[in-house]
């Protein structure tokens, strides 16, 4: 049995500190924010220093992704370690880019979500090289743009970078995440007729009519949560996120719009979810022929699920057992991740990463021990999967 691949603890810790020290707030979420340019250049330089073949991609101006490739000797399967470079904003944080380590925790924006994961991925590649392990298949590290908003980085990446498998290294507390939910953004528009507030015979109140729709939507939401749950991620759900209607206190509202977020579970389709919304509008039209409304789907991301019996999951299971001596914890998660995009592109995918807390919160940290352990598991998984 080959010796365990040792990970350089000082390297992974210092690297994570340097990554956290770079402002990479997503400029779509915070207009004028730094974006991925600086951190992408840092990552490209670090990949080159580790001897990787480096390629930069820029799906939109200033939104940069970096791929570092360690070529295999030939005949093995290829594996991508995927992490996003962008973070959410830093409002409410005292020292968002400090990278300070206290009591085994490394603090700062992105430490947990997910620069600790990127540091672990690079540390795994370094550990493989330091140990003189020759993999038959290629091993890639991808640092991608824009996961916190539209995932243009991974969406672009899968159009030109193909591997047999991918580990999306979102934090999982060293558990193996086999599934997550998807989501749809739907806009419903209800139309009325504007008139002076005193002219009730002329005005048709779009806001009141939206109320009829909301009552039916509330019943649908309750029915969704009462459905037999998916074994890993639970039932589907929806919420009425944004509501806007009317132009003045003394004017009947000519239009009212509602933006809905619908969370989907594996096996559901956008078409099926939209049909449920359309059926509510059809009911209202049958009740009142003057009811004027429509619904449109303006953004969709698929749910994700992978089987425990796939080659990648088996390799990760074996790698984790080798490192920890314990059976893995398998589970599903509710937030959406880039795993859905790689899986949909035909790249066998699983989610695995370190422990910590504070994603999108005022205090965020990654556990240093788990970051090292994550790197060890990634290295052992690569050895098993890539051959």
């Amino acid at each position: 049995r080959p010796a365990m691949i040792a990970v350089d603890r000082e390297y992974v810790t210092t690297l994570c500190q340097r990554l956290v020290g770079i402002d990479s707030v997503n400029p779509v979420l915070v207009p004028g924010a730094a974006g991925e340019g600086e951190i992408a250049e840092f990552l490209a330089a670090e990949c080159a220093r580790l001897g990787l073949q480096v390629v930069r991609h820029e799906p939109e101006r200033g939104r940069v992704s970096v791929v570092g490739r360690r070529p295999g000797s030939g005949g093995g399967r290829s594996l991508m370690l995927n992490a996003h470079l962008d973070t959410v904003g830093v409002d409410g944080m005292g020292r968002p880019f400090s990278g300070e380590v206290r009591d085994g925790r490394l603090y700062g924006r992105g430490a947990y979500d997910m620069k600790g994961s990127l540091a672990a991925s690079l540390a795994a590649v370094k550990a493989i090289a330091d140990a003189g392990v020759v993999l038959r298949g290629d091993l890639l590290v991808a640092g991608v743009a824009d996961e916190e908003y539209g995932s243009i980085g991974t969406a672009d990446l899968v159009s030109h970078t193909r591997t047999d498998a991918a580990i999306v290294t979102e934090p999982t507390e060293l558990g193996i995440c086999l599934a997550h939910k998807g989501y749809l953004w739907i806009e419903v528009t209800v139309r009325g007729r504007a008139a002076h507030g005193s002219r009730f015979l002329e005005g048709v109140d779009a806001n009141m009519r939206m109320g009829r729709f909301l009552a039916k939507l509330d019943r649908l939401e309750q029915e969704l949560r009462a459905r037999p749950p998916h074994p890993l991620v639970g039932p589907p759900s929806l919420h009425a996120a944004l509501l806007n209607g009317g132009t003045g206190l003394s004017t009947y509202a000519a239009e009212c719009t509602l933006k809905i977020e619908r969370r989907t579970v594996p096996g559901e389709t956008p078409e099926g979810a939209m049909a449920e919304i359309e059926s509510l509008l059809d009911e209202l039209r049958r009740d009142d022929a003057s009811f004027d409304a429509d619904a449109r789907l303006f953004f969709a991301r698929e749910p994700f699920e992978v089987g425990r019996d796939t080659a990648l999951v088996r390799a990760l299971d074996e790698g984790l057992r080798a490192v920890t001596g314990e059976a893995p914890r398998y589970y599903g998660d509710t937030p959406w991740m880039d795993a859905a995009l790689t899986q949909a592109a035909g790249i066998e995918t699983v989610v695995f990463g370190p422990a910590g807390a504070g994603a999108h919160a005022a205090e965020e940290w990654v556990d240093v021990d788990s970051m090292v352990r994550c790197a060890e598991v990634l290295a052992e998984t690569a050895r098993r999967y890539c051959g």
Side-chain angles (χ1 to χ4, degrees), residues 119-256:
S121 298
L122 286 167
V125 175
K126 180 179 183 295
I128 288 169
D130 290 347
V133 173
V134 178
L135 302 176
R136 293 173 60 203
D138 292 1
L139 180 60
L140 286 69
V141 175
V144 297
D146 191 50
E147 189 276 344
E148 294 290 4
Y149 182 72
S151 291
I152 59 173
T154 293
D156 169 70
L157 180 71
V158 297
S159 71
H160 49 63
T161 303
R162 304 294 303 179
T163 55
D164 294 304
I167 300 176
V168 172
T169 58
E170 289 278 7
T172 66
E173 327 305 313
L174 300 179
I176 298 177
C177 177
L178 298 176
H180 66 65
K181 288 186 175 183
Y183 66 95
L184 313 176
W185 287 345
I186 303 163
E187 183 179 67
V188 173
T189 301
V190 175
R191 283 169 287 275
R193 184 168 61 246
H196 190 276
S198 66
R199 307 285 187 179
F200 63 87
L201 293 176
E202 299 173 15
V204 176
D205 191 339
N207 293 343
M208 288 283 201
R209 293 191 168 205
M210 179 63 82
R212 301 181 198 173
F213 175 76
L214 283 167
K216 289 188 177 293
L217 190 69
D218 182 51
R219 289 196 290 274
L220 174 60
E221 193 275 336
Q222 294 175 49
E223 190 268 319
L224 291 177
R225 286 194 283 130
R227 289 179 184 176
H230 183 276
L232 291 171
V233 301
S237 64
L238 65 79
H239 64 278
L242 296 167
L243 184 63
N244 185 57
T247 56
L249 275 170
S250 289
T251 305
Y252 277 77
E255 186 173 278
C256 185

Side-chain angles (χ1 to χ4, degrees), residues 31-52:
E36 299 89 0
E38 182 182 351
I39 196 170
E41 286 308 304
F42 174 84
L43 175 59
E46 185 61 23
C47 285
R49 199 180 70 79
L50 293 176
L52 306 184

